[in-house]
């Protein structure tokens, strides 16, 4: 049975629907990600689940109970925002204690629980600091601790890493996932970053314009995009119309075709001739633009040695892994 079940959920602002029929199920202990472009409705969905935004129709079941009629405080849900939302005039410890005061937890239990979560987010030594004395990553760990200390049934994270620099972001990703596993905490994470979604999630719900267009684990979303939007959003696919695809592969193809840039191999001999139009170095990967049979393709090659570097204008042969061809609607 699912632990969270969103059923025909609807939300409009001034007659404009953000979404009109959201359905999804999440298992207990699962880490799921809502992934999609800005404005597709991720935050609104999260806020509806938290009770911060009223819904227009539909149900949200949490552990079998419809929580739509409940106030946010009665839902047992923790939420962390991109902007941390810490109280600037309170210390780390006071910020974390705030939620417990609301829950009327006694002083002794509070102290124990605060010490526990401070340890969990590795901020034991920072209890007496104020938010302005912390880095962005530390502030976000306080925000996380403040949610965890209330022992929520469900944790909602709305782009918690988007304001942080890349190195901190990667570290915090791992830390969040580790804590979530340790606590077995059912979590909905929101991001517009495909890499974040692919590396962190048990399951991804890909959203576009108020709809969940595809759901599945990272491998499914990456290797079997359901439509052009999914292929365009995840994995830098080459998207060819049927004519170009037929010309490239020299057989009739009736739908659009998605080919991942790393599924095309470059060599100096072979059947499919191409010419390097441009290339850029992305660190360990070289990204080529290659023209073959009048079709321009993006090809990613691991940068292993000087032999992997082909100058613009060089003739190359391409080999496309047939199992990586993906027909999309
Ligand atoms: N309070 C609001 N009033 C009016 N429109 C809103 C409000 N909040 C969100 N929207 C609209 O709902 C849509 C989805 O927004 P949002 O859920 O914030 O998207 P995301 O988090 O995916 O970027 C957007 O078109 C946005 O402009
Ligand atoms: Mg948002």
């Amino acid at each position: 049975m699912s632990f969270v079940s969103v059923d025909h959920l609807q939300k409009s602002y001034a007659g404009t629907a953000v979404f009109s029929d959201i359905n999804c199920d999440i298992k207990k202990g699962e880490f799921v990600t809502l992934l999609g472009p800005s404005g597709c409705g991720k935050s609104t969905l999260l806020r509806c689940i938290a009770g911060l935004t009223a819904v227009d129709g539909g149900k949200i079941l949490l552990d079998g109970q419809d929580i739509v009629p409940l106030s946010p405080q009665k839902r047992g849900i923790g939420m962390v925002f991109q902007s941390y939302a810490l109280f600037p005039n309170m210390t780390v410890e006071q910020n974390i204690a705030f939620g417990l005061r609301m829950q009327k937890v006694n002083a002794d239990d509070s102290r124990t629980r605060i010490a526990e979560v401070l340890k969990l987010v590795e901020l034991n030594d920072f209890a007496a600091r104020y938010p302005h004395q912390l880095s962005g990553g530390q502030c976000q760990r306080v925000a996380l601790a403040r949610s965890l200390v209330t022992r929520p049934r469900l944790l909602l994270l709305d782009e918690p890493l988007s304001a942080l620099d890349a190195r901190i972001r990667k570290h915090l990703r791992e830390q969040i996932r580790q804590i979530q596993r340790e606590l077995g905490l059912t979590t909905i994470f929101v991001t517009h970053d495909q890499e974040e979604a692919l590396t962190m999630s048990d399951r991804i719900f890909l959203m576009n314009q108020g709809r969940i267009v595809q759901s599945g684990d990272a491998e499914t979303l990456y290797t079997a995009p359901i439509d052009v939007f999914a292929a365009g959003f995840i994995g830098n696919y080459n998207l060819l119309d049927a004519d170009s695809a037929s010309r490239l592969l020299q057989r009739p193809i009736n739908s659009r075709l998605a080919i991942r840039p790393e599924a095309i191999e470059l060599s100096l001999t072979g059947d499919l001739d191409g010419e390097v139009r441009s290339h850029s170095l992305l660190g360990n990967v070289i990204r080529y633009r290659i023209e073959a049979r009048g079709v321009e393709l993006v090809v990613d090659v691991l940068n292993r040695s000087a032999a992997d570097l082909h100058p613009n204008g060089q003739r190359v042969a391409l080999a496309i892994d047939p199992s990586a061809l993906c027909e999309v609607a």
Side-chain angles (χ1 to χ4, degrees):
M1 212 193 88
S2 50
F3 186 63
V4 182
S5 185
V6 175
D7 189 22
H8 297 300
L9 206 67
Q10 299 174 20
K11 176 66 193 176
S12 299
Y13 284 111
T16 306
V18 180
F19 42 76
S20 55
D21 190 17
I22 292 275
N23 297 279
C24 62
D25 287 288
I26 299 162
K27 292 195 277 289
K28 195 166 177 127
E30 215 178 0
F31 187 107
V32 303
T33 297
L34 304 178
L35 171 67
S38 178
C40 73
K42 306 179 297 294
S43 294
T44 304
L45 178 53
L46 224 53
R47 294 175 62 85
C48 288
I49 296 172
L52 304 174
T53 294
V55 304
D56 297 332
K59 286 186 201 158
I60 304 167
L61 301 181
L62 179 57
D63 204 7
Q65 177 193 23
D66 186 7
I67 56 172
V68 167
L70 300 183
S71 69
Q73 295 75 18
K74 294 241 164 67
R75 295 188 183 200
I77 294 176
M79 185 149 171
V80 173
F81 304 91
Q82 179 181 333
S83 59
Y84 324 133
L86 299 179
F87 299 110
N89 56 334
M90 291 187 193
T91 63
V92 166
E93 185 168 7
Q94 289 163 343
N95 264 283
I96 298 174
F98 186 78
L100 292 179
R101 282 223 306 282
M102 297 283 105
Q103 289 185 340
K104 305 207 169 33
V105 176
N106 73 45
D108 277 353
D109 287 350
S110 283
R111 258 194 303 279
T112 317
R113 280 164 66 168
I114 291 167
E116 271 169 20
V117 293
L118 278 173
K119 188 155 171 262
L120 212 52
V121 299
E122 296 172 2
L123 285 175
N124 320 43
D125 299 336
F126 295 78
R129 292 227 194 154
Y130 286 88
H132 75 269
Q133 298 169 314
L134 301 175
S135 69
Q138 289 165 339
C139 283
Q140 199 52 294
R141 275 145 63 195
V142 176
L144 183 63
R146 191 177 50 177
S147 282
L148 295 176
V149 81
T150 64
R151 304 201 170 143
R153 297 189 282 171
L154 174 66
L155 180 64
L156 308 176
L157 303 166
D158 193 355
E159 311 230 17
L161 308 179
S162 300
L164 305 173
D165 69 56
R167 201 176 51 83
I168 304 287
R169 202 157 63 215
K170 281 198 175 141
H171 177 67
L172 216 50
R173 258 185 214 169
E174 286 165 19
Q175 202 176 18
I176 288 175
R177 191 63 164 114
Q178 195 187 337
I179 292 171
Q180 181 269 337
R181 282 208 178 100
E182 210 169 302
L183 302 177
L185 183 57
T186 314
T187 301
I188 309 178
F189 182 92
V190 162
T191 183
H192 61 269
D193 181 316
Q194 56 142 326
E195 187 188 314
E196 213 160 88
L198 292 171
T199 52
M200 291 182 78
S201 322
D202 290 321
R203 215 144 50 93
I204 299 166
F205 293 104
L206 179 62
M207 288 183 69
N208 188 28
Q209 297 182 340
R211 288 187 319 116
I212 295 175
V213 294
Q214 188 171 8
S215 67
D217 60 15
E219 187 181 335
T220 306
L221 259 84
Y222 192 75
T223 56
I226 196 167
D227 62 11
V228 168
F229 166 78
F233 200 76
I234 296 183
N236 305 306
Y237 272 86
N238 289 289
L239 281 172
L240 309 185
D241 59 40
D243 282 351
S244 304
S246 306
R247 198 161 67 244
L248 184 73
L249 300 176
Q250 300 198 312
R251 59 183 167 87
I253 290 177
N254 299 318
S255 67
R256 277 180 284 199
L257 197 68
I259 312 174
R260 274 182 284 132
E262 69 276 20
I264 307 174
E265 259 187 75
L266 292 192
S267 62
L268 292 173
T269 55
D271 292 340
L272 178 51
D273 281 333
E275 186 179 322
V276 175
R277 286 272 174 259
S278 68
H279 64 278
S280 50
L281 194 58
L282 314 175
N284 59 342
V285 167
I286 310 162
R287 176 158 295 171
Y288 289 101
R289 293 196 170 274
I290 301 213
E291 191 179 316
R293 295 181 181 146
V295 179
E296 190 171 280
L297 295 168
V298 176
V299 178
D300 283 351
V301 173
L302 260 184
N303 183 12
R304 286 164 301 201
S305 72
D308 294 313
L309 282 167
H310 304 290
N312 296 352
Q314 172 147 21
R315 307 292 307 176
V316 286
L318 307 180
I320 303 177
D321 174 2
S323 71
L325 299 176
C326 190
E327 295 189 5
V328 288

